Amino acid sequence: MFDKFIRRFPVKVQAGNRVIHRHVKIVGEEHIVEALSHGRGAILATAHSGNWELMGAALALNGYPIVGVAQRQTNRAMDRFINEYRTITGMHITYKTGIREMISLLGEGKIIGLIMDQDAKQQGIFIEFFGRLASTPSGTAALARMKDAPIMPTFITENADGTHTLIVHPLVWINKTADRDYDLQVTTQQLGRIIEQHIRTYPHEWFWLHNRWKTRPPAERKG
C-alpha cells in the first residue's frame, strides 16, 4: 500500500500537484463542491477498500481541505513515517482520540475522513452488514448530527491500467429528530448499506484482515 503511495508522490507537494490528474480521476466531484458550499464542513465516510491512502492524498492535492483521522501506531517511528507521507500532500492528520479537534476542524469547513468498517466493540452501533449484525463506529453520524454537516460516502478503486478512480456518492444528510439514538442508528445503517454495495462491486479490493463481526450483540452473548 505505502510503496505505491511513496512512488506516486515525491516529497515536494508541487510535484504531486503536477501528476495527480494522471493517476486519479474523481467521479462525482460535484458532490464535494455541494458539500462544502453549505459552509459546515463535511464528513467523508469510507472503508478499507482500494488504496485509501491514495484517496486522501488525491483529495488534498486537488485542493480539498481533507483531514485524515488516524490510529496512533504503537511504534513511534512508524507512526511518524506514516503521517509524514500523509501530510506532505497537504492532508491534516488528527488521531481518533482528538474528538474536540475534529469538531473544531469541521466548524472551519474541513472534510473529516472516517473509516467505518472496523469492529467498534461494545462502543459501536449494531447494524446489518452482509446479512449479519456488526458493531459499527457511530462517530460519522454523531458528528454529522452535532454540526448539521453533510456526509460524503467516498471510495477509490484501481483501474486495469494502474490508474485509480475516486468515487464520490451523493450526500447523505442525517434526519435530526428528538431521538438521538434512533438518528444515529438509521444513518449508520444507511452508510453501512452504501459501503456493503461498494464491496460487492469490488470485493477483491476490500482489505480488512480483522474479524468484522467479532463483537456480538448482547442478545447473542446471553445465549
Side-chain angles (χ1 to χ4, degrees), residues 41-69:
I43 300 125
L44 185 155
T46 192
H48 292 90
S49 183
N51 195 331
W52 62 88
E53 293 288 348
L54 183 60
M55 175 171 62
L59 288 169
L61 289 169
N62 272 281
Y64 293 112
I66 183 74
V67 177
V69 178

Side-chain angles (χ1 to χ4, degrees), residues 156-182:
I156 192 167
T157 183
E158 186 173 9
N159 304 314
D161 61 358
T163 62
H164 292 74
T165 299
L166 197 157
I167 305 165
V168 187
H169 289 251
L171 303 182
V172 171
W173 292 88
I174 190 166
N175 184 25
K176 193 171 183 179
T177 71
D179 188 338
R180 179 180 181 273
D181 290 344
Y182 174 80

Side-chain angles (χ1 to χ4, degrees), residues 35 38-43 106-107 110 112 140-152 171-174 187:
H38 296 280
R40 306 172 195 169
I43 300 125
L106 198 57
K110 310 294 187 186
I112 310 297
T140 300
L143 276 175
R145 190 180 188 278
M146 181 186 300
K147 303 297 288 185
D148 292 322
I151 302 169
M152 303 185 327
L171 303 182
V172 171
W173 292 88
I174 190 166
T187 301

